[in-house]
Amino acid sequence: METTVLKKRIFLSSPHMSGSEMKYIEEAFQTNWITSMGSNIDAFEKEIATLVGSTEAVAVSSGTAAIHLALSLLNVTRGDKVFCSSLTFVASANPILYQGAEPVFIDSEPETWNMSPLALERALSDAVQSGELPKAVIIVNLYGQPAKMNELLAICNHYQVPIIEDAAESLGATYQGKASGTLGDIGVFSFNGNKIITSSGGGMIVSDNKELLKKARFLASQAKDDAPHYQHSVVGFNYRMSNILAGIGRGQLEHLTHRVETRRFIFKRYFEELNHLPGLSFMPELANTRSNRWLTSFTLNENEAKTSVHHLISCLAEENIEARPVWKPLHSQPLFQNSRYYPHKLEESVSEQLFKNGICLPSGSNMTEEEQTRVIDVIQNTLQQY
Ligand SMILES: *Cc1c(COP(=O)(O)O)cnc(C)c1O
């Protein structure tokens, strides 16, 4: 009888433990600071703030919680409009719905795959005319690539709309020398298991506005008023990070620089081995920015490549390799079918094209050279068949 030995699974991006995590976890146990206070949390917040050069940071239970808190801090409530990148993970926009607010989705532009300044300008000038300026704009830095922040900031400043920078995927990336996540009014990071570093689950809010972050701490811990009894005047959340998980985050953070270098090296190798293939274009890196290359991605021109991304993904799956299409734009999700959408140009929806033709490759910093060779071989064999 024939037996097939399944090759070892290659994941898109799996947790990469460094060995430095346990000392911080043990410290938490030894001092019995097990829950939502303790030295790991305080230190993790300081370490992130120092790394990105923001005044302060507040650790929370997830990146999604961080975005939700950011909207709360900007007083987003029922009926308000919030603009958001369309080409992103649903967690960028779900908190808009938690607040009972209404998302308006903004397309990408081709040079960063991130929010199109043209589409944003059109959306804001419409909003002014109808007297419905958004309370915030959520700008995502996709797959570790910073958005065109100068252009987007100029537009938002003109209309005086605050920016929440969703840097969940771009920790360690820079824009004109500044840390991604520090260019807007509030920045948000995620330490979910698939991100460039993980605390097993967690998030962080950064800002230079101390008052805002003081309020973030207050809201994240059930909004307890200053009174001897339990007293509450506003809605709060239970969103604080645990001291154990902050310990994991600290152990991971020690290795961030190396993780970024490794992911960039993985990108470089894919690029060198595959870029010559017909119809294949890698995600660009904007001048004066340094992506963390969280996920290597490219688009395939079906006519030139004579095959589809869909087919390529199934060929990789046959070899037990995980590859995924680029995020499905949120404006085309059933959840948001009634939301407004502003394309890059009136006749050109960039995010829809990227979704149709884009693929994300295994990019974990713990992927071996051999494993990457397996991925490269499948792609070369599939595309050279035609
Ligand atoms: C992962 C991610 C989030 C959510 O972070 P969690 O920690 O998983 O809640 C938000 N936005 C983007 C773009 C993400 O990739």
Side-chain angles (χ1 to χ4, degrees), residues 123-243:
L124 281 171
S125 91
D126 276 5
V128 161
Q129 283 185 3
S130 58
E132 289 187 304
L133 273 179
K135 279 276 188 72
V137 177
I138 301 174
I139 299 174
V140 178
N141 302 292
L142 204 69
Y143 304 138
Q145 169 59 52
K148 288 191 170 174
M149 291 307 293
N150 278 354
E151 290 87 336
L152 297 169
L153 274 162
I155 298 167
C156 287
N157 286 343
H158 176 79
Y159 291 96
Q160 299 195 327
V161 181
I163 291 177
I164 298 169
E165 212 189 335
D166 180 349
E169 300 174 4
S170 64
L171 181 67
T174 58
Y175 178 89
Q176 299 183 352
K178 289 186 194 148
S180 185
T182 62
L183 291 121
D185 299 86
I186 302 175
V188 166
F189 297 109
S190 162
F191 309 108
N192 187 30
N194 64 352
K195 298 302 194 303
I196 194 154
I197 61 166
T198 182
S199 62
S200 94
M204 194 77 74
I205 298 182
V206 296
S207 174
D208 289 336
N209 185 330
K210 283 200 164 203
E211 279 306 304
L212 217 57
L213 290 190
K214 192 173 161 205
K215 194 173 160 200
R217 280 181 210 287
F218 169 76
L219 292 177
S221 12
Q222 307 286 22
K224 296 188 195 88
D225 290 342
D226 195 8
H229 50 273
Y230 284 100
Q231 178 162 305
H232 306 273
S233 314
V234 296
V235 179
F237 309 98
N238 181 7
Y239 274 171
R240 292 290 280 155
M241 183 183 275
S242 112
N243 194 49

Side-chain angles (χ1 to χ4, degrees), residues 81-92:
K81 296 249 173 359
V82 175
F83 289 5
C84 182
S85 303
S86 188
L87 190 62
T88 182
F89 181 47
V90 69
S92 302

Side-chain angles (χ1 to χ4, degrees), residues 242-257:
S242 112
N243 194 49
I244 306 278
L245 302 193
I248 302 177
R250 290 183 75 191
Q252 290 266 295
L253 191 58
E254 289 178 3
H255 299 266
L256 177 65
T257 308

Side-chain angles (χ1 to χ4, degrees), residues 10-312:
I10 303 178
F11 293 100
L12 208 59
S13 179
S14 67
H16 183 182
M17 292 298 114
S18 69
S20 321
E21 296 86 1
M22 285 312 280
K23 66 174 188 267
Y24 297 113
I25 297 177
E26 272 162 17
E27 196 183 296
F29 271 78
Q30 274 158 15
T31 55
N32 204 35
W33 288 105
I34 300 301
T35 60
S36 62
M37 285 201 296
S39 59
N40 281 334
I41 296 174
D42 298 343
F44 192 34
E45 288 177 342
K46 286 207 175 71
E47 286 158 6
I48 288 280
T50 305
L51 174 87
V52 303
S54 68
T55 309
E56 227 182 291
V58 176
V60 293
S61 53
S62 70
T64 310
I67 297 170
H68 191 193
L69 275 174
L71 292 173
S72 250
L73 293 172
L74 298 173
N75 302 313
V76 171
T77 56
R78 194 158 296 280
D80 285 340
K81 296 249 173 359
V82 175
F83 289 5
C84 182
S85 303
S86 188
L87 190 62
T88 182
F89 181 47
V90 69
S92 302
N94 269 338
I96 303 172
L97 300 184
Y98 304 165
Q99 290 300 88
E102 223 182 278
V104 173
F105 293 107
I106 312 294
D107 196 12
S108 302
E109 46 77 25
E111 289 179 329
T112 65
W113 297 14
N114 287 310
M115 189 178 281
S116 157
L118 284 180
L120 178 64
E121 173 64 52
R122 226 180 313 116
L124 281 171
S125 91
D126 276 5
V128 161
Q129 283 185 3
S130 58
E132 289 187 304
L133 273 179
K135 279 276 188 72
V137 177
I138 301 174
I139 299 174
V140 178
N141 302 292
L142 204 69
Y143 304 138
Q145 169 59 52
K148 288 191 170 174
M149 291 307 293
N150 278 354
E151 290 87 336
L152 297 169
L153 274 162
I155 298 167
C156 287
N157 286 343
H158 176 79
Y159 291 96
Q160 299 195 327
V161 181
I163 291 177
I164 298 169
E165 212 189 335
D166 180 349
E169 300 174 4
S170 64
L171 181 67
T174 58
Y175 178 89
Q176 299 183 352
K178 289 186 194 148
S180 185
T182 62
L183 291 121
D185 299 86
I186 302 175
V188 166
F189 297 109
S190 162
F191 309 108
N192 187 30
N194 64 352
K195 298 302 194 303
I196 194 154
I197 61 166
T198 182
S199 62
S200 94
M204 194 77 74
I205 298 182
V206 296
S207 174
D208 289 336
N209 185 330
K210 283 200 164 203
E211 279 306 304
L212 217 57
L213 290 190
K214 192 173 161 205
K215 194 173 160 200
R217 280 181 210 287
F218 169 76
L219 292 177
S221 12
Q222 307 286 22
K224 296 188 195 88
D225 290 342
D226 195 8
H229 50 273
Y230 284 100
Q231 178 162 305
H232 306 273
S233 314
V234 296
V235 179
F237 309 98
N238 181 7
Y239 274 171
R240 292 290 280 155
M241 183 183 275
S242 112
N243 194 49
I244 306 278
L245 302 193
I248 302 177
R250 290 183 75 191
Q252 290 266 295
L253 191 58
E254 289 178 3
H255 299 266
L256 177 65
T257 308
H258 189 241
R259 298 290 183 260
V260 174
E261 277 163 16
T262 307
R263 296 220 185 212
R264 287 182 64 84
F265 184 77
I266 287 168
F267 170 86
K268 187 165 171 275
R269 185 160 172 233
Y270 277 132
F271 185 89
E272 284 167 1
E273 303 265 10
L274 302 172
N275 192 48
H276 64 280
L277 293 169
L280 195 152
S281 329
F282 280 90
M283 181 179 187
E285 185 177 50
L286 189 70
N288 284 319
T289 70
R290 187 173 189 263
S291 170
N292 69 14
R293 294 290 186 191
W294 173 56
L295 294 185
T296 290
S297 29
F298 64 74
T299 56
L300 211 53
N301 178 318
E302 288 189 11
N303 295 329
E304 289 170 30
K306 300 194 176 61
T307 185
S308 66
V309 152
H310 180 77
H311 177 66
L312 184 57

